[in-house]
Amino acid sequence: MKAVEIVKGVYWAGAIDWNIRDYHGYTLPGTTYNAYLIVGDKIALIDSAYPGFDSQIIERVSSIVDPKKIDYLIANHIEKDHSGTLPALTKMLPGVPIYCTENAVKGFSKHYDTAGWNFKVVTSGDTLSLGKGKTLAFLEAPLLHWPDSMFTYLAEEKILFPNDAFGQHIATSQRFDDEIGKEESLKQAQKFYGNLIIPLAPRVLKKLDEVGKLGLEIKIVAPSHGIIWRSYAGDILGSYVNWSRGVSKNKATIVYDTMHGSTDAMAKAFAEGLMEEGIEVKVCLLKDGKAEGTHRSNIVPEVLDSKAILVGSPTLQNQMYPTVADFMSYLKGLEPGKLGRKKIGFAFGSHGGHGGTIKLITDDLKAAGIEVVNDGIEVYYKPDRKEIERCTELGRELGRKIKSM
Ligand code: FEO
């Protein structure tokens, strides 16, 4: 296994996980755990990989230097997908200094037996010179992604190693953005942002502002998952600003499940009305695990991109359909309506008894920060022609509202 040179003396020495399909509720076609080897007079390794990937990291490092010659370990984040090789590395390199934040020291001791680990606590502005024009600077980045997180910056080469931020969950043979293309790189980054970073949006903006004030020029962004941004670094930084500010399109996302086709018919009638007003529409039938379904983590980027979201469900035992409840729980955690610009929406569904689901969905939409524009529409059993026309008209009305936002 080989490392890949990024610039002279700086290498990707990470692990490719071709097989992973679910990571805390996020469906993914594999991922990478990116570690970076920096070779000056001294040698540093930034981050590592999920437990079980030790040999990939060590072999890739071995393709450049003897791993026993590593002088410093830099631990930007304690989560196991970036620290799982530390037990093996600290065993191979007894007493090796581990540069990390104070919160990371606390976190590591809850994850691993850290007796004998030589932590060097850093705070923002601390630096570590490796010689040969390689100076690492550290920038604490609490909650991007966990309280312990920090960014490392290679000053002379203007490379930012921000760990999870700006990452994407993909497994590819390519290592760079220009190899898979700008559109695909940003699409994958948007999914990652939508599912992991939305609640951290204010911190993203604050951190980018701080980076700007420090005058740190960034030529390359080397995150801990996915491709390295060397041609489109400005695009991913700009996209994070836009996503965090809630910039979205004249677009609506309709999310629903259906028991006997009634809620499905309503969803499609809303879509027709929205389309008549020239609004881009994404229709997402749930049904997790079935071929025709859309996974919650693939819906979130559509919501991020949209000014409106409609959520529909049949009433089942006086509750939402389980798939809809799952989605709403996920959406409440992410709170996409609390980004810088408002999102609007409403609930819909069918029932064969007392109904009531739309009230539950409406409450959850509000909890997710969505501005609910009506009380929702619920039909008894099957929508008749008049009710379908009412749904289409509500779609048109919503379309006009979106265009005025
Ligand atoms: Fe990729 Fe927060 O770990």
Side-chain angles (χ1 to χ4, degrees):
M1 290 183 193
K2 303 280 188 203
V4 176
E5 187 178 73
I6 302 170
V7 296
K8 195 168 167 16
V10 181
Y11 304 88
W12 172 83
I16 305 173
D17 184 346
W18 297 102
N19 296 337
I20 190 169
R21 291 293 178 272
D22 183 85
Y23 193 63
H24 51 53
Y26 183 129
T27 184
L28 65 174
T31 192
T32 64
Y33 313 113
N34 296 338
Y36 297 98
L37 185 71
I38 321 288
V39 182
D41 295 322
K42 298 283 189 181
I43 297 168
L45 182 67
I46 301 177
D47 294 324
S48 67
Y50 202 77
F53 290 85
D54 299 358
S55 62
Q56 276 207 54
I57 299 290
I58 291 166
E59 280 189 39
R60 290 192 207 282
V61 170
S62 302
S63 71
I64 305 298
V65 295
D66 177 353
K68 292 201 171 120
K69 293 199 168 149
I70 292 173
D71 296 288
Y72 310 112
L73 297 176
I74 314 298
N76 279 330
H77 182 23
I78 65 168
E79 196 168 0
K80 282 164 78 171
D81 49 335
H82 310 294
S83 67
T85 320
L86 281 180
L89 290 168
T90 49
K91 204 168 163 194
M92 180 194 297
L93 304 160
V96 64
I98 303 169
Y99 287 74
C100 63
T101 62
E102 193 169 355
N103 271 328
V105 176
K106 288 184 208 148
F108 279 134
S109 68
K110 295 295 286 179
H111 283 76
Y112 307 108
D113 175 5
T114 57
W117 288 23
N118 180 17
F119 291 114
K120 300 286 181 198
V121 171
V122 295
T123 56
S124 289
D126 288 350
T127 59
L128 173 66
S129 172
L130 305 180
K132 284 199 181 133
K134 301 265 184 301
T135 310
L136 300 177
F138 305 107
L139 184 63
E140 291 167 276
L143 290 173
L144 290 173
H145 172 222
W146 281 2
D148 58 277
S149 295
M150 69 173 189
F151 296 173
T152 298
Y153 179 68
L154 178 55
E156 293 83 353
E157 301 291 353
K158 302 178 174 43
I159 303 178
L160 184 70
F161 301 94
N163 199 265
D164 280 325
F166 313 113
Q168 336 86 52
H169 278 313
I170 42 170
T172 60
S173 54
Q174 298 95 334
R175 299 275 70 82
F176 297 100
D177 53 359
D178 43 58
E179 293 174 326
I180 67 166
K182 178 170 152 183
E183 196 180 330
E184 180 65 10
S185 302
L186 288 171
K187 183 177 157 204
Q188 296 298 337
Q190 187 187 32
K191 180 176 174 185
F192 188 96
Y193 180 97
N195 283 278
L196 293 167
I197 311 288
I198 284 181
L200 315 175
R203 287 177 184 273
V204 169
L205 292 172
K206 203 169 151 217
K207 192 53 56 185
L208 289 175
D209 189 48
E210 198 181 323
V211 167
K213 283 184 181 144
L214 289 169
L216 302 183
E217 192 188 333
I218 298 170
K219 272 171 71 177
I220 295 175
V221 178
S224 59
H225 296 289
I227 54 84
I228 296 158
W229 304 90
R230 68 176 176 190
S231 292
Y232 306 116
D235 293 277
I236 185 59
L237 293 167
S239 294
Y240 258 56
V241 171
N242 286 339
W243 296 330
S244 298
R245 287 181 180 158
V247 175
S248 50
K249 298 191 222 166
N250 280 354
K251 173 175 168 178
T253 297
I254 303 174
V255 186
Y256 70 103
D257 209 335
T258 193
M259 191 186 295
H260 295 300
S262 298
T263 311
D264 178 73
M266 296 172 80
K268 286 164 184 166
F270 293 125
E272 288 299 321
L274 284 155
M275 288 190 290
E276 284 175 27
E277 289 296 329
I279 302 298
E280 181 182 338
V281 184
K282 191 77 186 176
V283 175
C284 303
L285 172 64
L286 289 161
K287 286 189 189 290
D288 198 2
K290 287 198 184 167
E292 72 269 30
T294 313
H295 192 271
R296 68 176 96 77
S297 62
N298 288 327
I299 296 173
V300 168
E302 306 292 348
V303 174
L304 178 65
D305 226 13
S306 298
K307 288 184 180 168
I309 174 171
L310 307 187
V311 178
S313 175
T315 296
L316 179 68
Q317 326 292 19
N318 298 321
Q319 296 296 322
M320 293 176 225
Y321 230 46
T323 45
V324 181
D326 169 289
F327 176 75
M328 293 312 294
S329 168
Y330 199 63
L331 200 73
K332 279 191 290 180
L334 291 170
E335 300 181 325
K338 294 186 182 171
L339 291 165
R341 297 183 196 178
K342 75 175 177 184
K343 293 187 188 294
I344 59 174
F346 61 83
F348 64 96
S350 76
H351 67 92
H354 301 296
T357 301
I358 56 167
K359 167 80 172 67
L360 300 174
I361 297 173
T362 297
D363 289 347
D364 282 357
L365 283 171
K366 288 179 183 168
I370 310 293
E371 184 181 307
V372 175
V373 294
N374 62 43
D375 294 335
I377 174 164
E378 200 165 33
V379 303
Y380 184 53
Y381 283 132
K382 200 173 163 211
D384 57 26
R385 250 182 67 189
K386 240 172 110 181
E387 285 165 325
I388 286 292
E389 178 44 41
R390 175 75 186 127
C391 291
T392 307
E393 181 50 33
L394 279 173
R396 291 185 202 108
E397 273 175 29
L398 187 69
R400 291 190 286 271
K401 277 199 173 80
I402 288 171
K403 287 189 284 188
S404 71
M405 287 167 74

